């Protein structure tokens, strides 16, 4: 589905889903979020770039975990930060 080739997304055989529908970092600091993303390396769920704290992309950059899944109902997308690649699953 994505126009960019991305080996990170290709390596994912089973998509990890959010264990809880909340940003684990925002919960600690009492912040709010807009949308949620689930890291496909460690399974942690964090907030998107429309959220004030952008925890998902901060985590991707600081931990070098490249791929997140959109964690909203009905959204079946993976996104790779280093390749800026989307794929539907
Ligand atoms: Zn990639
Ligand atoms: Zn957050
Ligand atoms: Zn991670």
């Amino acid at each position: 589905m994505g126009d960019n080739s991305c080996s990170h997304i290709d390596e994912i055989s089973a998509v990890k889903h959010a264990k809880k529908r909340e940003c684990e970092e925002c919960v600690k600091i009492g912040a709010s979020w807009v949308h949620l993303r689930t890291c496909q390396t460690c399974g942690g769920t964090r907030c998107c770039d429309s959220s004030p704290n952008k925890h998902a992309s901060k985590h991707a950059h600081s931990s070098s975990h490249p791929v997140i899944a959109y964690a909203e109902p009905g959204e079946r997308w993976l996104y790779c930060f280093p390749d800026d690649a989307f794929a539907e699953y």
Side-chain angles (χ1 to χ4, degrees), residues 31-82:
S32 58
W33 57 85
V34 180
H35 296 299
L36 295 169
R37 307 288 185 249
T38 300
C39 177
Q40 295 301 291
T41 306
C42 65
T45 296
R46 299 175 181 85
C47 54
C48 71
D49 280 357
S50 304
S51 307
N53 292 292
K54 302 184 168 84
H55 284 126
S57 60
K58 279 184 194 162
H59 169 76
H61 293 295
S62 66
S63 62
S64 297
H65 292 171
V67 181
I68 48 159
Y70 282 44
E72 301 301 318
E75 288 187 330
R76 298 176 59 83
W77 291 92
L78 298 170
Y79 177 71
C80 174
F81 284 100

Side-chain angles (χ1 to χ4, degrees), residues 4-13 66-67 78 80 82-85:
N4 306 310
S5 58
C6 165
S7 57
H8 309 105
I9 290 175
D10 288 347
E11 280 168 14
I12 293 170
S13 51
V67 181
L78 298 170
C80 174
D83 292 312
D84 191 27

